[in-house]
Structure formats: C-alpha cells, structure tokens
Amino acid sequence: SQTIHQWPATLVQPVGSPLSLECTVEGTSNPNLYWYRQAAGRGLQLLFYSVGIGQISSEVPQNLSASRPQDRQFILSSKKLLLSDSGFYLCAWTRGQGVSEQYFGPGTRLTVT
Amino acid sequence: AQSVAQPEDQVNVAEGNPLTVKCTYSVSGNPYLFWYVQYPNRGLQFLLKYITGDNLVKGSYGFEAEFNKSQTSFHLKKPSALVSDSALYFCAVRDHSGTYKYIFGTGTRLKVLA
C-alpha cells in the first residue's frame, strides 16, 4: 500500500532563517506531487506541483521554492523565512496517469517567530 | 476558469439528524469532483469522488454525494450524523486546462451537536 511521509511535524524558526521541508511517498511510481499551505485552519493554497523529476510548476513563488530530486521525494525550501510563511504545510500525491484523488501527508506546522 | 464554491462556512446539525454540506462548481467540460475531510492538525482524507457514471456516489464513513449536472452541484450527505463527523470538509475539482491541478473550495466546518 502507499504511504506519504512529511517531516518535521512541527517547526519553529526565526525570521530570516532557511527552511527545508521534506515529503516522501512509498509504494507507488511516477506520482504527481503537490505542496499546499493552509492558513488558520481554512482554505488550501497550492504552492507547487510536479509531474516528474526536476519538473516543478510554481503557483505562488514568493520566497519559497520546491525541488524534486528523486521520483518520490518533494522538498519545499526557503532561503529566508518571513513571518507570513507561518502555516500548516501539506504534501499530497496522485497517480500520474488518469484522474485520481489526492492523498495527503500528515502536515508540518511551521511557526516563524 | 474552473472554480468551486462552498457557500456555508459552518453547518450545525444535531446528532442522528441528516446532514448536507453544499458544493457548487464551474468547469469547462466534464467535472471530476472530490470530497475530503480534515480533522484538527491532520492532513486531508479522501471521502469520495465523481468521475462518471451514477449520480449518487457512496464513500467512506457512510457519506455519499449527489452529482447534479443541471444545478452544477455536488452536495455531501449523510443520513444520520455522528458527533465524530465534526470536522472541516473540502470540495475539490480537477482542473481541465491541461494542468494537473486541483481546485479546492474554502471549506465548511461541520459541527454535530450531541
């Protein structure tokens, strides 16, 4: 069966510090991968998605970036965090072929102080 | 442009009563529609989807949704609500513009009162 992991689960970082969040998927190949941010327990904002290694589509670039160094690994990064980067970050995957539901990871709670 | 609307921020229902969480959509072409549930500090969990076929779709935890093409709606329903159904519910549509994006509604908080 497929599983999706995210780490860390929680993170407290000062303004101006770098960020690296990691997401990995097990039990499937060639998934489409997604990064979302959720503020205040409400709507989801799509940040990046990827349909293959090295292929990144950016929806809200700002000061965040994403990379996909391996088929089942998706990394969200920032060189300098802003207070507004605080939120709940969710990684998700879908099957690469056809139309399927998304499967979400457990999320990372980021607080920028 | 594709869009999804969840007109209610919050829905309150008494335990044992039927519940409905509303969703309307706007897409070009055939809609691919999804419902997800989110419990506090957790990721979203898939409940059900409509791709094609029967208008009444059954999903996890006793939930079902009715696809109505003429009203462009995909309302989530359950015949008898449980207190444990209290959570945040999201409707989503798969983008048809050649990308692999999913467009989410703003979410509806369901409160089931004992």
Side-chain angles (χ1 to χ4, degrees):
Chain A
S1 64
Q2 302 89 5
T3 54
I4 177 169
H5 303 280
Q6 282 187 249
W7 64 89
T10 60
L11 192 58
V12 180
Q13 293 283 93
V15 168
S17 63
L19 173 74
S20 181
L21 302 181
E22 191 164 341
C23 171
T24 59
V25 180
E26 295 178 355
T28 189
S29 298
N30 305 315
N32 296 333
L33 297 170
Y34 303 79
W35 277 113
Y36 293 90
R37 178 168 60 203
Q38 184 178 31
R42 294 308 300 221
L44 298 176
Q45 179 186 32
L46 178 62
L47 301 175
F48 301 93
Y49 67 97
S50 170
V51 300
I53 296 174
Q55 300 179 60
I56 308 294
S57 295
S58 172
E59 293 295 301
V60 186
Q62 295 182 355
N63 68 318
L64 297 173
S65 62
S67 62
R68 185 171 176 174
Q70 300 178 45
D71 182 45
R72 291 169 289 177
Q73 184 185 30
F74 205 24
I75 297 171
L76 183 69
S77 303
S78 174
K79 292 181 180 177
K80 287 186 177 182
L81 283 169
L82 307 172
L83 284 174
S84 58
D85 291 324
S86 293
F88 193 48
Y89 287 80
L90 291 163
C91 182
W93 73 273
T94 65
R95 292 183 181 83
Q97 301 283 341
V99 179
S100 82
E101 59 273 22
Q102 289 187 303
Y103 298 94
F104 285 79
T108 295
R109 173 77 57 193
L110 172 66
T111 303
V112 182
T113 59
Chain B
Q2 274 70 217
S3 66
V4 170
Q6 292 183 245
E8 301 154 319
D9 279 348
Q10 182 159 319
V11 170
N12 295 328
V13 63
E15 188 175 29
N17 282 3
L19 70 87
T20 299
V21 183
K22 295 179 181 177
C23 172
T24 59
Y25 66 88
S26 174
V27 301
S28 54
N30 294 324
Y32 303 135
L33 297 159
F34 305 83
W35 274 103
Y36 296 86
V37 60
Q38 185 182 31
Y39 297 99
N41 298 310
R42 304 284 295 276
L44 278 68
Q45 295 177 37
F46 168 70
L47 283 178
L48 50 80
K49 65 183 176 186
Y50 173 82
I51 304 297
T52 187
D54 289 341
N55 290 342
L56 186 63
V57 179
K58 294 190 183 297
S60 305
Y61 312 122
F63 284 95
E64 57 189 29
E66 187 170 7
F67 170 66
N68 188 316
K69 189 172 183 178
S70 62
Q71 297 186 9
T72 63
S73 66
F74 189 54
H75 300 333
L76 182 70
K77 301 182 180 185
K78 187 173 182 181
S80 178
L82 301 172
V83 171
S84 57
D85 292 329
S86 298
L88 187 56
Y89 290 81
F90 289 97
C91 182
V93 64
R94 164 76 182 267
D95 184 74
H96 265 263
S97 62
T99 72
Y100 292 86
K101 297 190 292 185
Y102 292 74
I103 298 157
F104 283 80
T106 51
T108 299
R109 193 166 300 282
L110 174 67
K111 237 182 199 181
V112 181
L113 308 168

